[in-house]
Amino acid sequence: MSFSVSSRGDVCIVEVEGQLIVGNRQELKQKILDELEKGQRKVLVDFARTGYIDSSGLGVLVSLAKKMRDMGGDLRLANLNDDLQTLFELTKLDTLFQISETRERALENF
Amino acid sequence: MTARATPVEQRQLDVRIPSDVRYIDAIVEQVVLRCAAHSYSRRHLALNVPVALTEALSNAILRGNHEDASRSVHVRADVNASRLVMEVRDEGTGFDLEACTEDPTTPENVLREDGRGLFLMRRLMDRVERFSDGGNVVRLILNRA
């Protein structure tokens, strides 16, 4: 389980490798908060290499999305596989986030 | 005739882990391995089993045992071609499963950061039960078909 951070233009891209669960959610949160601290206001979380997400992981994404909106920023998601898409639909979090099928598509519209 | 040892993925899982969320991944991997050996669906292996079991384990570690190092979590998983039965036992006082009915998908709740764990267990398993037998037990049942 790890997170890698890169940037494309003014968008910060965070890639989640492995699971996003109770054991590592704080690490993701801190990485994105660090980017906010640096002045970053557009964050794209890429799930192309993500296994599964639990309720704690979902909660962190909600928390970060709210914080970013409060600060005039935006947190968007990309590359959810069918299972992750189902998870977001079950919890209705697909209505909360802008979700793109690919990283490139997300970046085009960000 | 020499008796052959049963392959690990065909054995019932019966382990105790410390009250530490870092153990969750390894337990989930062991249960998924056993389900894969019985040809559970890709969706079951990638979503239903790992998410529901992670929820039960994190509840036991964080809420049941309060991450107390002196307390352990007992995990059993019995898998066959028909169904998966998982039991997660902590040393807490338990909770009223029937009273936990809040829907995290309503407009007023969807922005909450918590409150999705039990909901996900119920949606991803065929049955969720809770009982006490000297500890607080959550039993998750998933039918293979």
Side-chain angles (χ1 to χ4, degrees):
Chain A
M1 297 187 286
S2 65
F3 307 103
S4 60
V5 180
S6 60
S7 61
R8 182 91 67 88
D10 61 350
V11 181
C12 169
I13 302 167
V14 181
E15 196 167 1
V16 179
E17 276 187 51
Q19 278 58 267
L20 174 58
I21 60 174
V22 61
N24 66 347
R25 63 185 164 149
Q26 287 301 340
E27 189 184 341
L28 174 70
K29 187 171 188 176
Q30 194 55 55
K31 277 199 188 299
I32 293 178
L33 290 177
D34 289 346
E35 295 300 320
L36 273 173
E37 189 73 21
K38 291 178 198 166
Q40 187 61 259
R41 291 295 179 269
K42 294 180 180 179
V43 174
L44 175 65
V45 184
D46 188 332
F47 292 102
R49 297 203 279 174
T50 307
Y52 65 95
I53 303 175
D54 72 355
S55 64
S56 299
L58 295 173
V60 157
L61 293 173
V62 171
S63 165
L64 288 166
K66 286 196 291 189
K67 187 167 186 69
M68 292 205 64
R69 282 175 197 178
D70 288 347
M71 297 177 74
D74 199 3
L75 178 79
R76 297 185 183 181
L77 315 179
N79 273 320
L80 298 180
N81 63 33
D82 288 348
D83 300 316
L84 293 178
Q85 184 68 38
T86 297
L87 188 67
F88 276 76
E89 288 169 6
L90 274 178
T91 51
K92 290 209 166 53
L93 291 178
D94 59 323
T95 62
L96 192 67
F97 292 98
Q98 184 157 335
I99 300 172
S100 299
E101 285 183 16
T102 66
R103 180 188 294 201
E104 295 309 319
R105 192 161 295 171
L107 290 170
E108 279 169 18
N109 303 317
F110 216 148
Chain B
M1 197 164 122
T2 309
R4 284 187 188 169
T6 308
V8 65
E9 66 271 17
Q10 290 176 20
R11 290 181 216 151
Q12 178 176 285
L13 181 74
D14 190 336
V15 293
R16 285 180 194 277
I17 59 169
S19 296
D20 186 329
V21 294
R22 288 174 297 181
Y23 287 85
I24 290 177
D25 242 9
I27 296 297
V28 168
E29 188 180 332
Q30 286 298 312
V31 175
V32 168
L33 183 72
R34 284 161 171 78
C35 292
H38 287 286
S39 303
Y40 280 58
S41 71
R42 192 200 55 75
R43 172 58 61 95
H44 282 165
L45 301 179
L47 179 69
N48 300 65
V49 174
V51 174
L53 180 54
T54 297
E55 299 300 341
L57 289 168
S58 60
N59 273 349
I61 292 167
L62 300 176
R63 295 200 172 88
N65 288 353
H66 302 286
E67 294 185 274
D68 181 342
S70 69
R71 295 176 168 187
S72 62
V73 174
H74 186 187
V75 188
R76 290 164 54 99
D78 194 0
V79 192
N80 60 39
S82 302
R83 67 177 193 167
L84 162 67
V85 180
M86 300 180 281
E87 289 183 359
V88 177
R89 176 182 288 102
D90 62 55
E91 299 180 43
T93 52
F95 60 96
D96 184 355
L97 182 69
E98 303 307 318
C100 301
T101 56
E102 197 159 25
D103 181 354
T105 67
T106 60
E108 61 273 21
N109 285 339
V110 77
L111 280 169
R112 283 183 54 174
E113 293 161 33
D114 57 5
R116 297 182 180 86
L118 191 54
F119 171 84
L120 284 175
M121 280 192 263
R122 284 177 163 141
R123 294 300 300 267
L124 297 173
M125 292 285 112
D126 289 303
R127 189 168 177 81
V128 179
E129 302 169 351
R130 195 208 74 81
F131 57 93
S132 298
D133 69 345
N136 168 52
V137 185
V138 170
R139 178 185 287 154
L140 306 173
I141 300 172
L142 176 68
N143 296 321
R144 177 170 163 270

